[in-house]
Amino acid sequence: MKFAKINNKKFLFVVYSLIFLIACNARNELNLSDYEIIEKVIEKEIILYGYDLQDDKALKYFKRNTPEYEKKIKELYLNQNYESDYYFSLDKTLFVYKDNWYVQELFAKNNFSGSTKNLIPLKIDFSKIKTKKHLIIIDKNSKLARSQNYIGDFKLSRIIYDGDKAVILMENNGRLLIFLEKKNNEWSVYKEAGIPYEIYEKKIDL
């Protein structure tokens, strides 16, 4: 009987250890909502402007600088329905930014409660990200990063959740805090806030 009790204890210890390891691994991987938000941010924030679209295939039958050309390029910008391939690079890791006073003020102004404490950087599985047609993720060291259709290198932070709300920081030529909410089972951007590098001669490090 003693032998059986010892074996039972060992068995339970192994089971609980496995559960603990699985839970730890789960917390160290991006979940479905993370990928949905990443896709939404790419869709809404990584856009092409008129100067990016001047040589788009959709304009090949229009004479440059004519009213028809200007009208078509405006349509391409507003609808983002370009026909040429465009490229951007995205850092492989979601970084963790500092939870400082400026960030917390922005959280409070937008009725958001959260913190970056206890978060760690996590890798992105690019096979789980879908982008719109003709918008392609590449490695920043690729030859395509030197093409005229390369629109930039982007970095995204770990996502913080507050119920049906979330926030993510995007870095490109600046720093943009993006607030999202989930309605009808879909994430949408409801507010954006730029983060300066300095305010009132006080640096804002992230």
Side-chain angles (χ1 to χ4, degrees):
M1 292 296 292
K2 278 187 177 181
F3 180 75
K5 286 181 180 179
I6 292 171
N7 280 344
N8 285 338
K9 287 180 180 178
K10 285 184 177 179
F11 175 75
L12 289 172
F13 175 77
V14 171
V15 169
Y16 289 134
S17 297
L18 286 171
I19 291 172
F20 176 77
L21 287 172
I22 291 169
C24 288
N25 287 334
R27 288 196 296 270
N28 290 334
E29 292 180 358
L30 300 182
N31 59 37
L32 179 60
S33 289
D34 292 329
Y35 283 106
E36 289 174 346
I37 288 172
I38 291 170
E39 288 183 0
K40 181 59 66 174
V41 168
I42 291 172
E43 176 192 342
K44 294 296 182 183
E45 305 297 340
I46 303 181
I47 61 175
L48 279 83
Y49 296 92
Y51 54 79
D52 298 311
L53 298 163
Q54 292 179 5
D55 296 311
D56 193 86
K57 288 179 181 178
L59 296 165
K60 63 183 176 182
Y61 298 116
F62 296 85
K63 188 176 179 180
R64 193 182 287 262
N65 298 325
T66 61
E68 293 79 14
Y69 174 89
E70 297 299 332
K71 182 180 178 181
K72 184 63 178 178
I73 205 168
K74 184 178 180 180
E75 176 198 316
L76 294 179
Y77 163 66
L78 291 174
N79 299 320
Q80 294 292 297
N81 56 346
Y82 38 81
E83 295 181 9
S84 295
D85 288 339
Y86 297 90
Y87 312 99
F88 72 97
S89 50
L90 182 62
D91 196 271
K92 297 176 182 178
T93 303
L94 296 185
F95 68 93
V96 178
Y97 54 92
K98 291 180 182 177
D99 191 13
N100 60 26
W101 64 272
Y102 194 87
V103 168
Q104 283 301 322
E105 279 192 6
L106 288 176
F107 283 4
K109 286 179 182 177
N110 291 282
N111 299 315
F112 188 89
S113 177
S115 172
T116 58
K117 291 177 182 177
N118 302 320
L119 291 181
I120 61 171
L122 288 181
K123 295 287 186 183
I124 301 172
D125 181 351
F126 287 108
S127 68
K128 295 181 179 179
I129 297 177
K130 294 179 182 178
T131 59
K132 66 176 69 177
K133 189 177 181 181
H134 299 305
L135 186 62
I136 302 165
I137 303 175
I138 62 169
D139 188 286
K140 65 181 178 182
N141 297 314
S142 165
K143 290 181 180 179
L144 291 170
R146 296 190 290 275
S147 76
Q148 65 176 10
N149 285 5
Y150 177 69
I151 59 176
D153 181 46
F154 297 82
K155 293 181 180 180
L156 294 174
S157 74
R158 283 293 307 275
I159 300 160
I160 306 172
Y161 293 93
D162 178 19
D164 58 356
K165 294 181 180 180
V167 68
I168 184 171
L169 179 68
M170 183 175 76
E171 291 187 353
N172 178 232
N173 293 322
R175 306 182 296 187
L176 186 67
L177 202 60
I178 303 164
F179 294 88
L180 304 99
E181 60 184 345
K182 195 168 191 178
K183 289 184 177 179
N184 299 320
N185 209 34
E186 186 174 342
W187 290 100
S188 61
V189 175
Y190 72 88
K191 188 67 181 292
E192 299 169 355
I195 300 180
Y197 291 92
E198 187 176 300
I199 188 168
Y200 305 127
E201 298 184 353
K202 188 175 182 179
K203 288 185 178 180
I204 303 173
D205 296 321
L206 292 179

